[in-house]
Amino acid sequence: MSVSTGAALLWILLLTFTVSTVSGAQKLTLTAESGATINIRNNNKVKGCQVCTGLLIKKCNAESLNYLKGSTVELRCSRPQDVFSIEIVRRITCTTKSCSGHIIQTDFSSIDALRFNRTFTWNLVAAAPKAFQIDFTKTGLKQINPSEKCPDRHTYTLQAFQSTGNVAVEQYCRSGTISTALILKSGSFSVDVPAEQKLQNDKFDVTVGEKIKWPQKLTLTAEPGATINIRNSNKVKDCQVCTGSLIKKCNAESLNSFSGSTVSVELECSRPQDVFSIEIVRRINCTTESCSGHIIQTDSNSIDALRFNRTFTWNLTAAAPKAFQINFTKTGLKQINPSEKCPDRHTYTLQAFQSTGNVAVGKYCRSGTISTALILKSGSFSVDVPAEQKLQNDKFDVTVGEKIKSLARISLTLPKGTSSSELLSPDYPESFPDDDTMGWYFRVPEKHRVDVQFLNLTQPDCVKKEVAVEYHQKDRVTSVLGLNDTQPLQKQGDFLLTLRNCEMERAPADSPGLTFTLKHF
C-alpha cells in the first residue's frame, strides 16, 4: 500500500474473533492488521486460568499474552470473560508535517468479543520540536476522577510519556468542553469498553500540533466554593486557553475551574487580554433565618489578572417563601442605561432567576439613592471591572428578606431637598417580562412629596389582563392606574409602587412589549 505525500493513512481495525470449546478450554482466533498488537491479560492473576498458544507444544501463561500477528490461543478457564480482558494497540507516528493515521474506533466483527472487557489504545509519537494534537470537537470530553463512571460506559484515558519514565494520566467522559489535546513528545489515547457494551464508532483527527507562538501563563487560585471561568466570549479564532504541562488540554471558548483549586493556564494568543475575560463566581445560600455569607469584593492576588476584564459574581438563593435582601446603604446605587459607563468604571448588575428564564433587574453605578434590593427565590449580583482597574474593596450585607410577590423589589432612600432620578423597567431596552410584577419602594423624607412620571413608554399588545400601576401605603392599596393615566402626587410619606404587566401577545414578532423609564422628582 502506498500513500501520496502529505496524505494520512487511516488505520482501520480488521479483526476476526471466533470462540469454540475444545477439551475444557475455549479456543480463540484473533487476527490483527499489520503493525497492531493484541494483548490478552489476566489482570487479577486468577489462579487456574491460563492463556495458551501452540499446536503441538503448548506455551501457557497465567498473566498475559502479547503478539503481533494472527494466531490461535486457548483460554483455559471455566468463564474466561470474567478473568481475561483484550487490548488492541496501534501506533500513530507524526513527522513535522503530517501524521500516519487517525483515531478510528471500530469494534470486533464477532459478537463473541462483546463478552470481554475491551481496551482500544493508540500510541502516538510527535517529531521534535512539535507536539501532536487530537481533535475532540465532534464529541467534546469532560475530565473525571478515576473513581467516576461515564454515563455511556466509555472511559477515555490520555497519557503523556516522559524520558524520565513518569507518566501523566487523566480520564474523561464524552460530552464536555474539552475540544483538543496537545501531547508533548509521546503519549497514548485509549477507550475502555466493558463487556456487553458496543464501542462508539467515533473518529478523532490526529494532526501535527503547531509550536505555541505566544503562550502567556496565568495562575489563579479559587477559594473554597468558588468557580473560576476564563472565557473567549467573542470566540476569536486562533486564541485558546490551555491547561496541563505534559497533556495540554485546549479550548477556544472557555475554561471552568471549581472550588479550592489553583489553576495554571496558558493563553495562546498574541494579546490574550484583548480576547479573554475572567469571572469568579461565588455562592450564598439563605435559609428562612440566615444567609451563609455576604458580598465581599476582593480581587485576585495575581498581578497578571489585572490585565484582563474581570467579573465578580455572587449567585444567591432564598428559602421559600422568603426573598434575599442585599443592602447598599453604605455606597448607594444608581440605575443606568445598559449602554452607559460608570465614572469609577465599576458596573453592577442584578438578575432575578425565574423558571421562565433570567431577568435583568438592572445595571447600576455607585453613589445613588438605591439602598436595598429584594430578589425572589434566586438571582445574582455581579460587578464588572475593566482591565487595569483595581476592584473596590466593598462589602454588601446579605440577609433574609420578607416575603414578596414580585420578581424583585428595589428600595430607594430619597435625599432631603429637590432631586430627581430615573429607573428603568426590567430587561430594558427589551420588554418587561410577560405577566410579571416588579416593585419599587420609596423612602421619602418628612415634608417632601414625590411626583412619578413614566417616560419613553411603549405599551404591549395584551391577550389577558391589563398593564396596571398600584400605589401602596402602610400595606394598603391607595390607587390602581394605567401607565397613560396621570400619576398621583405622593405627599404622605413612604410608598410602594408596583407594576403589573399583562399576558402579552406573542405575535407579531415586532410587538413592542412593555418598556418605560420611571422618573421621580
Side-chain angles (χ1 to χ4, degrees), residues 309-325:
N309 295 331
R310 295 154 354 264
T311 299
F312 302 85
T313 299
W314 289 264
N315 288 329
L316 304 101
T317 57
K322 295 187 177 181
F324 63 83
Q325 177 173 292

Side-chain angles (χ1 to χ4, degrees), residues 148-165:
E148 290 184 70
K149 303 294 183 183
C150 295
D152 65 356
R153 305 179 71 196
H154 283 56
T155 303
Y156 298 89
T157 302
L158 271 173
Q159 295 189 89
F161 306 144
Q162 290 182 295
S163 57
T164 58

